[in-house]
Amino acid sequence: MKPENRKRPIVIETPDNGNLQLDPNGKLRHFLSINGLNRELLTEILDTAESFTGVSERTVKKVPLLRGKVITNLFFETSTRTRTTFELAAKRLSADVLSLNISASSTSKGESLLDTLRNLEAMHCDMFIVRHADSGAANFIATHAAPHISVINAGDGRHSHPTQAMLDMFTIRRHKQEFEGLKVAIVGDILHSRVARSQILALNTLGTEEVRVIAPKTLLPADADRLGVKVYHNLEQGISGVDVVIMLRLQRERMSGAMLPSEHEYFQLYGLTDERLEAAKPDAIVMHPGPINRGVEMATQVADGPRSVILQQVSFGIAVRMAVMSMAMGTMNPGASKK
Ligand code: CP
C-alpha cells in the first residue's frame, strides 16, 4: 500500500498488533487493539484507571503526569463520547490538547494523511488519538509516526475500539468484581461493530466464563463461531441467566443493501424491554456504548431504568483513557520511557 494514497480503504481484519503496541519491556507503547495484549496488561489498565477515578471528584480536577506533553485528537469520523472524554482525560493529566477539526483542516484541500502527520510532528506533538472509518488506520499511523509518538486507536472502521472495550470492562468489574463466573451477552449488530470485537477479546482475555452474542444471521460475522462466543438468534434465550447485557446500535453507515426488514420489526425481535430483561439475572446490569437509538435496540424504560449503567460507562471512560494515555507515555512506568 502506498502511504500517500489514503483514498483507498485499509482493511486489517485480524492483525496481531502485539509487537507494535508494546515496547521491548512489554509496556504499552501504542494502544491499537485488545488483540495481542495479555490479561496482566489489561488488568494493569483497569487498576491504573481505578487510581484515577478520584481525580474527577476533586475541586482541582488535575494531576501533573502529562504536563508539557502535546496530545492531538485526530477524529476523521464523528464522535460525542470518545472525543470529549479523551480531551477531558488529557486535560486532567495536565497535557496540552489540540483537537483538529478535520472538516475545516487542509485535508479537505487534498493534503495526505502522512503530510498532516508530518506537520503535527513538526509541532512537537507527543500522542495522536485517532478515529477513522477505515479498519487499520490507527495501525497505519502508528507504523509511520515518529518513534517518540504514541498512537491510541479511538475506533477504526469495524476493526477495533479498544478504549471503549476497556471502559466497559472497568464498568463490569466495578459492578461484578470478578470476570470468572460471569455470563455476558452482547446483542445486536455484531457484524459491523468494532466495539463488539474488542469487547469479546477483552472479556475472553480477562477470563469471563461465558460470552454470548445475540443477533439475526445477517448481522453476525461469518466466523462468529471462531470468536470464542456462544451464538444465539433469539433474545430471550440468549439473555437467560446472564449477569451483563450489552446492547449495540445498528450501524447503518456500515451496512450495504437491505440487511434488515425495518427498525420496527428489529425492535419486535431484538429490542430490549423491561419484560424481556426479566430473563436475565435479577441483578443483571444493562450497558450500551452509545449512541443509543431508543425504540430500535432498546426501550427508553430500560435505557433510563435502574439496571442501566450506560452513563456510568461514560464517566468511567475518563479514568480509563487517563490510564491508557499515561501508561503509553511511560509516566506510570518511568523506566519504560520512549525518549
Ligand atoms: N461509544 C462511542 O464510541 O461513542 P462516540 O461515537 O460518541 O464516540
Side-chain angles (χ1 to χ4, degrees):
M1 177 180 59
K2 288 203 171 98
E4 65 273 17
N5 184 356
R6 291 295 303 109
K7 290 273 191 280
R8 287 188 295 164
I10 305 164
V11 179
I12 303 175
E13 289 295 340
T14 53
D16 178 0
N17 296 314
N19 292 337
L20 184 59
Q21 294 193 97
L22 302 178
D23 72 11
N25 299 315
K27 298 292 183 187
L28 203 63
R29 185 176 183 287
H30 304 291
F31 193 40
L32 306 172
S33 166
I34 303 295
N35 197 18
L37 303 185
N38 63 25
R39 184 173 182 161
E40 287 67 36
L41 202 138
L42 298 192
T43 304
E44 187 185 342
I45 293 172
L46 298 179
D47 292 344
T48 306
E50 197 67 59
S51 75
F52 284 131
T53 50
V55 176
S56 296
E57 315 297 329
R58 295 183 194 168
T59 314
V60 178
K61 300 179 179 61
K62 273 192 190 293
V63 289
L65 281 169
L66 295 189
R67 190 161 54 199
K69 301 290 184 191
V70 180
I71 295 179
T72 303
N73 272 330
L74 286 170
F75 277 61
F76 296 87
E77 240 192 7
T78 55
S79 167
T80 296
R81 284 146 288 272
T82 311
R83 180 174 168 151
T84 48
T85 52
F86 262 116
E87 187 166 331
L88 263 181
K91 287 178 174 170
R92 289 194 182 161
L93 292 166
S94 305
D96 294 322
V97 185
L98 294 176
S99 286
L100 198 66
N101 181 350
I102 299 294
S103 60
S105 76
S106 291
T107 303
S108 60
K109 298 176 195 161
E111 184 168 66
S112 75
L113 180 63
L114 277 188
D115 282 333
T116 303
L117 291 186
R118 296 291 169 250
N119 279 269
L120 292 167
E121 285 171 6
M123 298 173 209
H124 302 284
C125 291
D126 296 289
M127 178 177 280
F128 296 141
I129 314 293
V130 181
R131 170 167 287 192
H132 204 288
D134 289 346
S135 298
N139 298 55
F140 174 85
I141 291 173
T143 305
H144 290 90
H148 73 276
I149 290 180
S150 285
V151 178
I152 311 290
N153 185 0
D156 63 327
R158 60 166 87 171
H159 167 231
S160 181
H161 195 348
T163 59
Q164 177 68 48
M166 290 312 296
L167 74 87
D168 295 334
M169 298 307 111
F170 188 91
T171 307
I172 292 171
R173 196 174 78 160
R174 268 294 181 98
H175 283 271
K176 303 293 175 190
Q177 287 75 49
E178 300 283 342
F179 290 90
E180 286 90 353
L182 284 188
K183 291 186 172 67
V184 179
I186 307 173
V187 187
D189 184 0
I190 312 294
L191 177 65
H192 300 100
S193 177
R194 56 195 176 205
V195 174
R197 281 181 178 271
S198 296
Q199 287 169 336
I200 291 166
L201 280 165
L203 286 164
N204 282 327
T205 304
L206 289 165
T208 306
E209 181 182 311
E210 194 172 297
V211 184
R212 304 178 183 177
V213 295
I214 308 164
K217 285 183 180 150
T218 50
L219 294 180
L220 279 171
D223 64 347
D225 53 353
R226 286 192 277 129
L227 295 175
V229 296
K230 280 192 172 177
V231 176
Y232 292 80
H233 303 297
N234 177 281
L235 181 60
E236 282 91 342
Q237 287 171 10
I239 64 171
S240 175
V242 300
D243 303 275
V244 179
V245 185
I246 304 176
M247 302 304 295
L248 299 175
R249 175 177 73 89
L250 296 174
Q251 308 231 338
R252 294 222 175 259
E253 70 275 22
R254 298 187 213 289
M255 291 183 192
S256 52
M259 305 188 87
L260 292 169
S262 72
E263 289 182 349
H264 176 73
E265 192 167 349
Y266 180 82
F267 184 73
Q268 297 305 314
L269 292 171
Y270 291 98
L272 189 63
T273 59
D274 278 336
E275 297 71 40
R276 285 180 163 154
L277 189 52
E278 283 178 17
K281 283 190 181 162
D283 63 348
I285 55 171
V286 176
M287 302 172 62
H288 194 305
I292 300 171
N293 289 139
R294 295 168 185 258
V296 181
E297 67 267 16
M298 68 199 310
T300 282
Q301 289 82 350
V302 178
D304 301 335
R307 305 220 225 162
S308 168
V309 296
I310 294 168
L311 293 179
Q312 290 179 34
Q313 291 172 257
V314 178
S315 300
F316 291 145
I318 300 169
V320 168
R321 288 173 173 133
M322 288 172 77
V324 169
M325 286 194 283
S326 57
M327 287 171 65
M329 292 304 295
T331 50
M332 298 304 284
N333 316 292
S337 176
K338 287 178 286 163
K339 285 193 174 174

